[in-house]
Amino acid sequence: MLPDGTYTAVVDRIEDGIATLEVDTEAGLSALDIAATELPTEARTADVVLEITVADAALADVIHEPDETDNRASETQRRFDRLSERPPQDSDDT
């Protein structure tokens, strides 16, 4: 379990009623499995950004961060768009 504290987490997936969160810790990314019912209803989908609080080795609070979710989705789309652009063609007619 994660040490007590507040973390940014992203819903990686939900399978068979279990939500797997990718949690950003000082030591890097960590995975946390919780019951999907512990998430706010609007946060029960992949790629949703959350602020979670762990206290006494248990999940104490989960806050859905819709603005941060939208920002990350927009940034991901911009990266994809840049990667999918064709490089300029050299006009070498000699």
Side-chain angles (χ1 to χ4, degrees):
M1 190 60 151
L2 297 169
D4 290 357
T6 300
Y7 303 93
T8 298
V10 177
V11 178
D12 181 52
R13 65 186 173 278
I14 298 175
E15 295 176 346
D16 300 325
I18 302 297
T20 300
L21 309 180
E22 288 184 350
V23 183
D24 190 10
T25 69
E26 289 181 7
L29 286 179
S30 183
L32 176 64
D33 291 335
I34 63 170
T37 56
E38 292 188 67
L39 296 174
T41 304
E42 68 276 9
R44 293 179 188 169
T45 185
D47 301 324
V48 170
V49 179
L50 309 166
E51 179 180 291
I52 64 169
T53 302
V54 175
D56 298 325
L59 189 63
D61 195 24
V62 179
I63 299 170
H64 177 219
E65 298 285 351
D67 291 338
E68 186 62 26
T69 300
D70 291 343
N71 290 344
R72 288 186 184 210
S74 294
E75 179 58 28
T76 299
Q77 185 62 51
R78 282 192 295 274
R79 286 181 186 168
F80 178 78
D81 291 345
R82 281 194 307 266
L83 288 172
S84 65
E85 290 176 1
R86 291 178 176 246
Q89 297 293 322
D90 287 337
S91 181
D92 201 10
D93 294 307
T94 57

